[in-house]
């Protein structure tokens, strides 16, 4: 990694999981997060992949999802940022994830007017996350004062 951008138009998910109870394997956790994103994108007809040595999810040679995690005593924090309808110009101001030779993309850039909305992407990601990590997922509303 190095630096990334989080902002409007991204699905940002920072799961908090106790890997002591699940599986004590950071590489497995990273690959599992990638799987959640890859399966979500497939639901919208967007084939994506992993790239050896570059954590995240890629469409062709462009990064569509950044992944960066932290663990403390096997409890996870941080997570993924999937570019759904992100204004990609913000990435021109940084070297995303330290990978200056590669670009970034978004679902909107790939699919144009047929791109799904954030609610649809979040719903599909949540479904895949629950299945991949063996968790029961439910919708909730969080209010901020």
């Amino acid at each position: 990694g190095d630096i990334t951008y989080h902002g409007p138009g991204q699905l940002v998910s920072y799961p908090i999981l106790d890997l002591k109870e699940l599986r004590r394997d950071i590489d497995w956790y990273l690959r599992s997060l990638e799987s959640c994103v890859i399966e979500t994108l497939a639901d919208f007809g967007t084939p994506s992949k992993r790239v050896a040595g570059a954590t995240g999810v890629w469409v062709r040679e462009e990064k569509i999802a950044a992944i960066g995690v932290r663990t403390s005593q096997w409890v996870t924090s941080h997570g993924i940022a999937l570019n759904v309808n992100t204004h990609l110009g913000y990435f021109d101001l940084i070297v995303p994830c330290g990978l200056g030779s590669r670009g970034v993309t978004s679902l909107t850039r790939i699919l144009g007017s047929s791109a799904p909305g954030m609610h649809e992407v979040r719903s599909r990601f949540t479904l895949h996350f629950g299945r991949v990590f063996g968790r029961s997922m439910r919708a909730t509303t969080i209010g901020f004062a």
Side-chain angles (χ1 to χ4, degrees):
D2 188 18
I3 189 171
T4 193
Y5 164 79
H6 290 325
Q10 288 183 325
L11 173 64
V12 176
S13 176
Y14 277 20
I16 301 170
L17 296 171
D18 186 347
L19 296 181
K20 288 188 305 285
E21 304 298 321
L22 196 56
R23 186 170 173 181
R24 291 181 189 222
D25 186 335
I26 303 300
D27 190 61
W28 168 83
Y29 179 61
L30 290 168
R31 302 301 78 84
S32 296
L33 287 174
E34 289 169 341
S35 292
C36 295
V37 173
I38 289 167
E39 293 173 24
T40 298
L41 294 172
D43 289 346
F44 300 107
T46 303
S48 57
K49 63 185 179 182
R50 295 175 177 91
V51 171
T55 297
V57 177
W58 304 80
V59 174
R60 293 177 292 281
E61 298 305 313
E62 296 179 307
K63 195 170 218 179
I64 193 165
I67 299 178
V69 300
R70 178 181 186 278
T71 60
S72 177
Q73 299 179 19
W74 293 102
V75 175
T76 66
S77 60
H78 303 288
I80 69 121
L82 170 59
N83 296 326
V84 177
N85 59 6
T86 312
H87 176 52
L88 298 175
Y90 292 117
F91 290 99
D92 293 340
L93 304 173
I94 63 172
V95 178
C97 303
L99 301 169
S101 64
R102 304 228 181 161
V104 294
T105 194
S106 69
L107 268 174
T108 297
R109 183 174 178 197
I110 295 163
L111 299 176
S113 62
S114 65
M118 186 65 73
H119 179 76
E120 294 172 272
V121 176
R122 181 175 42 243
S123 176
R124 298 308 299 174
F125 178 82
T126 301
L127 174 84
H128 293 299
F129 183 90
R131 187 186 53 69
V132 166
F133 289 100
R135 296 292 182 254
S136 176
M137 307 298 283
R138 61 185 164 88
T140 185
T141 303
I142 299 173
F144 297 97

